[in-house]
Amino acid sequence: MGLPSTSTNNVKVYTVSGSSLSRKLPDWLARRKKRELQKDIEWTSRVELLQDFEFPQASLKVRTTADGNFCMATGVYKPQIRVFEYSDLSMKFERHTDSENIDFQILSDDWTKSVHLQTNRAVEFHNEGQMHYRVRIPRFGRSLAYHSPSCDVLVGGAGNEVFRINIDQGRFMTPMATQGKGVNVVRVNPAHQLFGFGLEDGGVEFWDPRVRTCIGSLAPQGDDGAETSALAFRQDGLGAAVGTSAGHVLLYDLRQARPWQIKDQRFGLPVRVLEWLEPTRGVHVEAPEARVLSADARSIKLWGATSGKPFTAIEPAAAVNDVCVVPGSGLMLVAGESSEMQSYFVPQLGPAPRWANFLENLTEEMETTAQQHSVYDDYKFVTRRELDSLGLGHLVGSNVLKP
């Protein structure tokens, strides 16, 4: 079996795992059929970058750890957390929760400490063995961030307040009141720790963590009534990308009030994910500028931050919930509305990660044009009238026919 690949602007994108790569068995398929598939060359030669890289129904969020050895993801149904170990290319463990996950952050360099924002207004703290502690916030949360210098967990939600939970002192701190009706996105600048709050009314407020006051804001641009749905800071501390519910991405220099670049996703859907990708240096194509990854439910687009020139685009088979680029590589992990989580490898974006260096040769050897395969190829679909004409109406309800 080959690896499906697509090419946009002469940039190849390889699907190394996901629903568009391998056939998915329906739940009602008998075990006898599964045993027969063991003799199916196409089924047995399918590629799985990470074993069991899936959830029963859908995946919600995906993150990689700071040490680069693990991946944590949340999904449904039943609501659960799964951790995957790169060195073994398989799932390390799974842990079920009481409600669905909205957002989470990994607090340690590995997977052992994490905080999760749940749909039942609960903020859960997990360690390596269990759910360590649970606290409820006054309003339903929408986004979560962690400020490591002060040990504050920041939670934005339906109200205008951003709640602060200090995990060093073990108590709530005085919340920060914004000027908006609600806070959709909470982010912390990695360079100078500036807080960024994306508001339901549109625009962004910036808060200084030292004095806990608003020191600046960005007014909504262009889209009347559009909410701020995504926010990302650049590593240099000066760049900020803002996504709106109308499908626009605006790039700002924090020293200026007007954006220097505006991009349209072209689908009119809220921007769900924004990420800055710094220029890559090495044996692969050298990027002349930083790139921005922007994703809505239907597409993932990469484009130049300075020129705005499109780099490549990906349209997964299922709606996109979250995207995570493995640091220092061209591998993207995508969580979406399908049981299988997708993985895409873009060689011109960066090299394969250390734990999956075999992708460098595998993509070239197994490249093939994308083909659609279905597990129903061995079945015949008939109507009730056709059954009656064949005299097979008595088979309805038996194991031979499936409604």
Side-chain angles (χ1 to χ4, degrees):
M1 183 179 180
L3 288 177
S5 65
T6 59
S7 179
T8 305
N9 295 332
N10 295 323
V11 177
K12 286 189 176 182
V13 178
Y14 296 92
T15 304
V16 293
S17 68
S19 58
S20 61
L21 180 62
S22 60
R23 293 181 293 176
K24 190 66 177 176
L25 290 176
D27 295 335
W28 52 263
L29 198 57
R31 292 185 178 181
R32 179 180 58 85
K33 180 64 177 178
K34 293 183 180 180
R35 289 195 298 268
E36 293 178 358
L37 284 174
Q38 294 178 359
K39 303 178 182 179
D40 189 335
I41 298 178
E42 181 183 350
W43 177 260
T44 55
S45 63
R46 71 191 188 279
V47 176
E48 289 185 352
L49 182 62
L50 294 173
Q51 189 175 4
D52 298 325
F53 196 52
E54 60 183 13
F55 284 90
Q57 275 193 340
S59 49
L60 302 175
K61 294 289 183 179
V62 58
R63 301 277 191 277
T64 58
T65 57
D67 60 7
N69 295 325
F70 301 93
C71 167
M72 180 179 289
T74 59
V76 291
Y77 180 81
K78 302 175 180 179
Q80 56 192 280
I81 304 167
R82 292 188 176 185
V83 173
F84 302 88
E85 187 168 1
Y86 291 149
S87 60
D88 295 334
L89 297 179
S90 62
M91 183 173 65
K92 186 176 183 65
F93 73 90
E94 64 178 359
R95 181 181 300 168
H96 290 257
T97 58
D98 294 337
S99 60
E100 296 182 15
N101 178 256
I102 297 176
D103 198 3
F104 74 90
Q105 293 292 331
I106 301 174
L107 304 180
S108 58
D109 290 338
D110 54 9
W111 58 270
T112 55
K113 296 179 182 179
S114 60
V115 56
H116 299 256
L117 176 63
Q118 308 294 84
T119 55
N120 61 349
R121 292 194 290 117
V123 178
E124 297 183 354
F125 297 89
H126 289 251
N127 58 21
E128 64 272 20
Q130 60 185 347
M131 194 273 292
H132 178 68
Y133 191 74
R134 178 190 292 120
V135 61
R136 289 174 67 88
I137 56 178
R139 299 178 183 273
F140 288 98
R142 299 176 183 174
S143 182
L144 177 144
Y146 178 62
H147 183 235
S148 56
S150 64
C151 298
D152 281 350
V153 174
L154 308 176
V155 183
N160 68 324
E161 295 180 325
V162 176
F163 302 103
R164 299 165 54 219
I165 306 172
N166 189 280
I167 58 177
D168 180 35
Q169 303 179 31
R171 65 187 181 97
F172 278 96
M173 308 299 285
T174 304
M176 293 175 285
T178 66
Q179 299 299 318
K181 296 180 181 179
V183 180
N184 292 336
V185 192
V186 179
R187 293 292 182 267
V188 177
N189 194 303
H192 43 68
Q193 307 301 311
L194 186 72
F195 295 165
F197 303 143
L199 305 180
E200 182 179 335
D201 301 336
V204 182
E205 287 189 7
F206 300 105
W207 287 60
D208 189 334
R210 297 168 296 181
V211 294
R212 292 183 294 280
T213 57
C214 180
I215 60 173
S217 63
L218 296 175
Q221 298 283 340
D223 300 321
D224 294 335
E227 303 179 10
T228 299
S229 59
L231 175 65
F233 288 110
R234 194 175 178 179
Q235 291 292 331
D236 62 4
L238 297 178
V242 179
T244 70
S245 58
H248 293 157
V249 179
L250 301 86
L251 302 186
Y252 287 90
D253 188 314
L254 294 182
R255 297 166 293 185
Q256 300 178 355
R258 299 184 64 84
W260 86 72
Q261 191 69 255
I262 300 178
K263 290 289 289 185
D264 190 351
Q265 287 286 106
R266 301 293 182 184
F267 289 108
L269 300 173
V271 178
R272 296 185 174 183
V273 181
L274 285 175
E275 186 170 347
W276 292 84
L277 304 176
E278 298 301 327
T280 302
R281 298 290 185 264
V283 296
H284 295 265
V285 177
E286 291 192 359
E289 59 180 343
R291 297 190 178 100
V292 175
L293 182 149
S294 57
D296 56 19
R298 290 190 57 181
S299 67
I300 304 169
K301 296 186 177 181
L302 291 90
W303 42 278
T306 303
S307 64
K309 182 179 179 181
F311 176 67
T312 190
I314 305 171
E315 293 190 15
V320 177
N321 289 330
D322 195 17
V323 181
C324 176
V325 178
V326 177
S329 73
L331 182 65
M332 289 186 288
L333 309 178
V334 181
E337 294 295 326
S338 63
S339 59
E340 291 181 323
M341 299 175 66
Q342 287 92 36
S343 302
Y344 300 97
F345 179 51
V346 186
Q348 289 181 249
L349 182 63
R354 182 184 69 257
W355 50 271
N357 52 13
F358 55 85
L359 286 178
E360 298 285 355
N361 298 326
L362 187 65
T363 51
E364 297 178 0
E365 295 174 357
M366 300 186 64
E367 180 181 356
T368 182
T369 57
Q371 297 179 356
Q372 296 295 330
H373 300 280
S374 174
V375 73
Y376 299 102
D377 290 342
D378 298 332
Y379 291 82
K380 173 68 175 177
F381 291 88
V382 294
T383 63
R384 182 61 68 92
R385 180 177 299 179
E386 291 174 337
L387 284 177
D388 295 337
S389 64
L390 295 173
L392 301 177
H394 64 282
L395 296 177
V396 175
S398 65
N399 294 330
V400 180
L401 291 176
K402 293 290 182 180

